[in-house]
Amino acid sequence: MNRRDFLKAGTCGALGLAGFGCGRTSRNNAEPDVPEGAVRSPWFRSEGGGRVQCTLCPKRCVLAEGERAPCRVRVNRGGVLYSLAYANPALVQEDVIERTPLFHVLPGSRVLSIATPGCNLACRFCEVWDMALVPPEDVPVYDMPPDAVIAHAQEPQVRSVSYGFGEPTVFYEYMATVAKRARQANLLNLMHSAGYIEPKPLQAILGSMDAV
């Protein structure tokens, strides 16, 4: 067993005790470059010739068929941009709200923080490089659809869900769905971001956020 498999086994075992599944997202044999569970992103436009341009962040990457963006979680398959960062967080943990660090929001409460692999930046001082600067298939991830996140947040002291640690822009679709469910469950939504995102997707997500 190598180090990656050992870490994955330990992480999965711990989460399994809490009643949640864990594992690397399996690949679709018909589309070997797109894992099962990948979702179509609304943030792209066709460039012709099978190429697409991502319109989520200011890099506006133009991707050829089968090409993956530098963020490691956006891929062009058949002229459609897919997100590989949906329902597969690499980090799920409860924190004190002050660590988010939104210390003025619900002081003294606890928050459920989630983050997936991938990032659209490459900061040399990154503290979560082993999660943010790698593709999702290379790190242990949790099988955690949006409803499972909300179920995990149903703890007496947890009053909010935070999208951060890694850059939440890259798991935009997952964040948007979880945020909708969180709002229905009377949980606050907190976004901890570098702000490297295009104006239209930013405006679209702000309606679901209570603090950024």
Side-chain angles (χ1 to χ4, degrees):
M1 177 181 288
N2 59 31
R3 179 176 181 272
R4 180 184 305 157
D5 291 339
F6 174 79
L7 290 173
K8 177 180 176 181
T11 303
C12 291
L15 198 67
L17 292 175
F20 295 95
C22 176
R24 186 177 303 159
T25 307
S26 61
R27 291 183 177 276
N28 186 326
N29 292 331
E31 295 183 280
D33 205 32
V34 180
E36 292 178 3
V39 299
R40 178 176 177 141
S41 173
W43 303 108
F44 79 95
R45 67 185 183 193
S46 175
E47 290 290 297
R51 298 185 306 161
V52 299
Q53 181 176 49
C54 179
T55 58
L56 184 58
C57 93
K59 287 186 176 180
R60 289 188 163 264
C61 299
V62 176
L63 307 174
E65 166 65 32
E67 189 175 5
R68 194 181 296 203
C71 67
R72 303 168 183 82
V73 294
R74 306 266 148 180
V75 65
N76 174 8
R77 290 294 292 178
V80 175
L81 186 68
Y82 287 91
S83 167
L84 307 180
Y86 192 91
N88 59 349
L91 179 142
V92 181
Q93 69 182 39
E94 289 184 23
D95 285 308
V96 292
I97 191 74
E98 287 79 6
R99 194 182 178 201
T100 57
L102 295 167
F103 60 88
H104 60 293
V105 178
L106 301 176
S109 69
R110 296 188 67 80
V111 56
L112 181 66
S113 299
I114 63 172
T116 74
C119 187
N120 56 350
L121 300 173
C123 306
R124 293 187 177 184
F125 54 82
C126 181
E127 295 182 353
V128 291
W129 60 269
D130 53 346
M131 174 182 70
L133 303 183
V134 294
E137 63 268 24
D138 285 352
V139 293
V141 294
Y142 304 135
D143 179 8
M144 207 163 189
D147 287 341
V149 176
I150 302 307
H152 194 44
Q154 298 300 310
E155 297 288 338
Q157 303 303 318
V158 173
R159 298 176 60 188
S160 55
V161 180
S162 175
Y163 314 92
F165 282 87
E167 173 52 55
T169 296
V170 300
F171 60 93
Y172 186 99
E173 295 81 6
Y174 185 40
M175 174 172 58
T177 307
V178 173
K180 181 179 179 180
R181 303 282 200 279
R183 182 62 59 83
Q184 294 169 347
N186 295 318
L187 295 166
L188 295 191
N189 288 301
L190 315 176
M191 184 178 177
H192 185 189
S193 170
Y196 199 59
I197 183 173
E198 286 286 84
K200 284 186 177 180
L202 176 61
Q203 289 298 321
I205 198 69
L206 286 181
S208 298
M209 293 296 138
D210 297 286
V212 178

